[in-house]
Amino acid sequence: MRVDGPGPDGRFRISIDGVEQRVDATALRPGSWSLIIAGRSYQVDLDRRRGGIAASVGAGEVMLQVEDALHRRLASAAGARAPARGESIRAPIAGKVVKVLVAVGDPVAPGSAVIVLEAMKMENELASERGGTVSAIHKAAGQAVDTGDLLVEIT
């Protein structure tokens, strides 16, 4: 399932198994929404749980895994940065470097955080995928970065 919107008309586009629907959605109170889909009205209650978000309509309930646009871009950028040898960590979105967690010459284990980037009022730790030795650091704490800027190189 994919949800996009709201669009210019204030409605959302929802695609379930390739079938797209236009949805009018109104928040009733925190965690409760009124949806109109194909002329039918539904009240959906959302409850954040450890395994995701439980969405219930009447007696039916389903667990949702929610991925927002920021996390989708971060995951996409992480998947595209593993060259055959070494690794170049780039800014997945524009933001500001909050903290550099490594120094040139430091060994880095796979999955270890190397730099903290603030974007959209959220701090995101960027981690090494393959590990190695830090060969260059291109940005310092406090510096602004654009999408795609080279941050750290690991060999």
Side-chain angles (χ1 to χ4, degrees):
M1 178 166 103
R2 181 182 173 108
V3 178
D4 293 308
D9 61 356
R11 299 170 80 190
F12 291 82
R13 278 191 349 244
I14 296 179
S15 179
I16 301 172
D17 296 329
V19 177
E20 190 172 293
Q21 296 280 340
R22 293 290 226 190
V23 177
D24 284 315
T26 303
L28 301 174
R29 61 188 167 277
S32 284
W33 289 79
S34 172
L35 305 179
I36 298 176
I37 305 171
R40 293 188 62 196
S41 178
Y42 302 90
Q43 181 174 332
V44 179
D45 294 309
L46 304 175
D47 181 29
R48 186 175 300 274
R49 296 191 185 156
R50 192 172 284 177
I53 296 176
S56 56
V57 177
E61 182 176 282
V62 64
M63 288 299 292
L64 305 175
Q65 297 297 322
V66 178
E67 179 183 72
D68 62 20
L70 170 64
H71 289 95
R72 189 170 36 252
R73 281 192 301 252
L74 287 170
S76 162
R81 70 171 190 244
R85 288 191 154 201
E87 179 174 6
S88 295
I89 298 177
R90 296 184 176 273
I93 56 177
K96 181 177 83 171
V97 175
V98 175
K99 187 185 293 185
V100 179
L101 304 172
V102 294
V104 173
D106 283 356
V108 177
S112 295
V114 295
I115 197 164
V116 179
L117 183 68
E118 179 185 296
M120 299 174 63
K121 299 183 181 180
M122 291 179 57
E123 288 189 3
N124 301 284
E125 285 188 348
L126 303 182
S128 167
E129 188 173 298
R130 301 177 59 146
T133 302
V134 177
S135 58
I137 298 172
H138 296 279
K139 299 290 181 181
Q143 283 187 294
V145 297
D146 287 323
T147 302
D149 280 1
L150 183 57
L151 303 174
V152 177
E153 289 181 271
I154 299 172
T155 55

